[in-house]
Each structure stands twice: as structure tokens, then as C-alpha cells.
């Protein structure tokens, strides 16, 4: 894609579906293992999906997964729509960097490297490592109910940053990406995007957030999403403008990341409602892109995520009642995907009947 101009329509041409031919070859190999059809449940389907994505039969085991977390603060959090105070996403980032956050603990346990990409945290850049703040677009996003979250130029910069991160990971040999967010107010922005793209009312998509909110806070959040919807609907036909109006830098970057990962034929496990919203917008840009994505889990108390996944016909791998974000659900789903890859790669094929009869036929010929 040209550096001079960003034309989102190009993604429709650049993104191809995982190979249907290789999937058929993988199905034939699975039949030759002698196991009862569908006896491995979702693991069978995951193995076929991986074969098609990798264009490889047998499947190559997943050896280099990576968790990427996009971070940002949202101005809408100033309306007390979140259980966390506005502008405090840096505390989530710091916990992950210090190894004490849930994502850091699980990633360490699974041996998965993680990367944090600050797009719009509301703190001075020198408070965090340079590799974290390298792609920052601005300090905090605007209040989406009354103003644009980003300028058009900032939205494009953030989108391109996500694309660049996907390219860097693909070039580094990452074979499976896990996508999550570290944000305060991000689920409100996600709710606006999902409601706008699905044509639903704010109340249908308003969830309780990573730290569950009370009824009064939920009503404020619902009102904020309703007001954001009024600003989102007129720009639905222009996805970058939509991200600028009601998305935010982290969501814009995640959308670019997902689409470029699909261009690079690198599969992604989505986490919660924020990544689902970005994926839904990615589907609007390139309808084949969701074929490269899995949903790690069903987020508890987030009806917007269920709405988005249903629209993309993606079924979550797990339902453990999780409401925490940070890529935790994607990390918990990773062993399932790795197990499916191992089975598809290592289950031996039974010898064909012709191969078993050949030695006997040869022996009879020699005796004659």
C-alpha cells in the first residue's frame, strides 16, 4: 500500500481468504488418521483453519505467538462511564510492564512475549519506556460525545501505526498474534462503533466494562454511547472519519493492525469487546479479513462483543465469565489453538490398504 495516500479500499484487493484447496487437503489427511470424524470437536476445526492459514499440510506447530496490547486514554471517561478514573490507563500499562498485571502473569506462564504500544495515554511520554511510546499519536483522545476523538490526520497516523506494528511482527517471524487493549473508556468507544455498524440502539451494546460498573454508571455510559451514535451515523461510509469521530487512537491502530495482519497472512486471536469492535470495522473495510481471526473468549457483561462476533459469524473459543481485558481471554485460548496445531501436525496417517497388500503380493511373486 502506498505511503503517499491511504486508500482503505486497497485492503479488499490485498486480503485473500485462507487457502480452500489446502483446507481440503487437511481434511483428507485428517480422514486418513483413522480417528472418528469430529471426535476432536473444535480442535478439528481449528486444525483445518490453521492449515488453510499457513497453507501447509500437515500444520506447522504454533511456535512463535506474540501478545500485542494497544494502550490509550479516552476523553469520554471523564463522564464517569468507567469504574476507573479518567486518564489512568498508564497504571494498567505499568502493571503489565512490572509483571504484576493478569496479562503479564499469564504471558509469563505460557512463555509468550508481549508488546505494549502506547497510542494515546494521558501521561508524559518520559514516564514509560521509549519502545512503548514510539508510536504515540497524542495525549488522550477527545470526548466522543461532543467532539472528535482525533483529527483526520491523527486517525490516519494511528491506523498506519497499527499497520506498521503488524508488519514488524510478521517480519520477525511471529506465527500467531494475540490482540488486546489497555484503556480507560475504550469499551465506550467500542460500544459506539458496534452500535453504529450494526444499526442498533445504545442500550443493546452497553456493557459493564472490565471492572464492573453500577447501574448509575451504566446509565451514564449508555447515554454517552447514544450521544456518540448521533455523531457516528453521518460518517458511517468513511471508516477513517468514523475512527476519528468516535474511535480514538488505540482503536484506529488496532483496526489497521488487524487488516495488515490479514494482508500478511498472519492469524490473530481477538480478546474482548474493544478488539471485536475494531474487527467489525475491519470487516466493513475488507469483507474477507475476518477469516484470519479467532475470538478467544466471550466477555462477560459485554453484549456489544456478542453482537459484533455474531455479525462476523465468529464463535468464541472459551466462555469463562471473564470481564477483565488486557488480552487475558486471548492468552487463555492460546493453548487450545496450540493443541489443535499439535494434533493436526503430529497425528500419524494410517497406511493405505494398498500399502499393506504390497509386501504380500511381492512375496507371492518371488515364490513363483
Amino acid at each position: 500500500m502506498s505511503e503517499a495516500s491511504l486508500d482503505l479500499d486497497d485492503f479488499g484487493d490485498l486480503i485473500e481468504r485462507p487457502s480452500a484447496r489446502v483446507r481440503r487437503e487437511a481434511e483428507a489427511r485428517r480422514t486418513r488418521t483413522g480417528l472418528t470424524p469430529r471426535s476432536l470437536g473444535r480442535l478439528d476445526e481449528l486444525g483445518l483453519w490453521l492449515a488453510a492459514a499457513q497453507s501447509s499440510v500437515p500444520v506447522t506447530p504454533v511456535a512463535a505467538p506474540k501478545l500485542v496490547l494497544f494502550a490509550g486514554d479516552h476523553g469520554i471517561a471523564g463522564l464517569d462511564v468507567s469504574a476507573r478514573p479518567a486518564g489512568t490507563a498508564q497504571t494498567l500499562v505499568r502493571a503489565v510492564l512490572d509483571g504484576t498485571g493478569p496479562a503479564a502473569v499469564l504471558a509469563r506462564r505460557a512463555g509468550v512475549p508481549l508488546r505494549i504500544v502506547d497510542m494515546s495515554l494521558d501521561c508524559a511520554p518520559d514516564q514509560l519506556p521509549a519502545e512503548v511510546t514510539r508510536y504515540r499519536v497524542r495525549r488522550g483522545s477527545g470526548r466522543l460525545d461532543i467532539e472528535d476523538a482525533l483529527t483526520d490526520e491523527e486517525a490516519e497516523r494511528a491506523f498506519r501505526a497499527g499497520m506498521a506494528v503488524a508488519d514488524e511482527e510478521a517480519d520477525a517471524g511471529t506465527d500467531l498474534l494475540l490482540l488486546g487493549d489497555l484503556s480507560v473508556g475504550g469499551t465506550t468507544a467500542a460500544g459506539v462503533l458496534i452500535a453504529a455498524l450494526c444499526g442498533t440502539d445504545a442500550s443493546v451494546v452497553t456493557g459493564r466494562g472490565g471492572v464492573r460498573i453500577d447501574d448509575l454508571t451504566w446509565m451514564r455510559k449508555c447515554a454517552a454511547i447514544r450521544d456518540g451514535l448521533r455523531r457516528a451515523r453521518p460518517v458511517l461510509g468513511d471508516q477513517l472519519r468514523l475512527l476519528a469521530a468516535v474511535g480514538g487512537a488505540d482503536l484506529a491502530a488496532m483496526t489497521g493492525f488487524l487488516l495488515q495482519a490479514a494482508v500478511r497472512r498472519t492469524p490473530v486471536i481477538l480478546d474482548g469487546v474493544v478488539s471485536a469492535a475494531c474487527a467489525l470495522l475491519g470487516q466493513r473495510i475488507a469483507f474477507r479479513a475476518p477469516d484470519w481471526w479467532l475470538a478467544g473468549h466471550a466477555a462477560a457483561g459485554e453484549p456489544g462483543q456478542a453482537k459484533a462476533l455474531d455479525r462476523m459469524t465468529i464463535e468464541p473459543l472459551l466462555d469463562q465469565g471473564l470481564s477483565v481485558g488486557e488480552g487475558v481471554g486471548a492468552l487463555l485460548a492460546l493453548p487450545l489453538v496450540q493443541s489443535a496445531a499439535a494434533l493436526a501436525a503430529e497425528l500419524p496417517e494410517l497406511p493405505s490398504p494398498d500399502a499393506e497388500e504390497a509386501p504380500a503380493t511381492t512375496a507371492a511373486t518371488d515364490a513363483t
Side-chain angles (χ1 to χ4, degrees), residues 73-81 86-87 140-145 147 149 184-185:
D73 279 297
H74 293 259
I76 196 67
L79 295 182
D80 294 329
V81 297
S141 293
R143 249 184 70 179
L144 58 83
D145 62 326
E147 63 181 344
V184 175

Side-chain angles (χ1 to χ4, degrees), residues 43 46 50 61-65 110 112 176 333-343:
L43 294 178
L46 286 172
L50 282 167
V62 176
V112 176
L176 180 64
L334 176 62
L336 278 179
V337 180
Q338 291 175 315
S339 297
L343 287 166

Side-chain angles (χ1 to χ4, degrees), residues 72-90 92 120 122 140-147 149 182-190 192 213 217 220-221 224-225 246-248 250:
D73 279 297
H74 293 259
I76 196 67
L79 295 182
D80 294 329
V81 297
S82 171
R84 293 188 175 93
T88 59
Q90 62 167 309
L92 300 174
S120 57
D122 189 9
S141 293
R143 249 184 70 179
L144 58 83
D145 62 326
I146 58 172
E147 63 181 344
L182 297 164
S183 65
V184 175
T187 61
T188 302
V192 176
I213 56 178
T217 306
R220 287 195 295 267
K221 183 175 182 178
I225 291 176
V246 298
D250 49 346

Side-chain angles (χ1 to χ4, degrees), residues 74 76 144 181 183 185-197 205-206 221 225 229 246-248 250-251 272-278 280 302 304-305 308:
H74 293 259
I76 196 67
L144 58 83
D181 71 288
S183 65
T187 61
T188 302
V192 176
L193 287 177
I194 293 169
L197 292 166
V205 300
T206 304
K221 183 175 182 178
I225 291 176
L229 268 174
V246 298
D250 49 346
L251 275 71
V273 65
V274 176
S275 59
C278 296
L280 185 62
E302 289 294 354
Q305 188 214 29

Side-chain angles (χ1 to χ4, degrees), residues 30 39-50 317 335-341 343-344:
R30 169 65 176 82
S39 60
L40 295 174
R42 288 291 299 275
L43 294 178
D44 270 329
E45 174 58 32
L46 286 172
L48 298 176
W49 177 78
L50 282 167
L317 294 176
L336 278 179
V337 180
Q338 291 175 315
S339 297
L343 287 166

Side-chain angles (χ1 to χ4, degrees), residues 106 115 125 198 259 285 296 331 342 345:
L106 291 178
R115 175 180 184 179
C198 293
L259 288 168
I285 295 168
L331 282 166

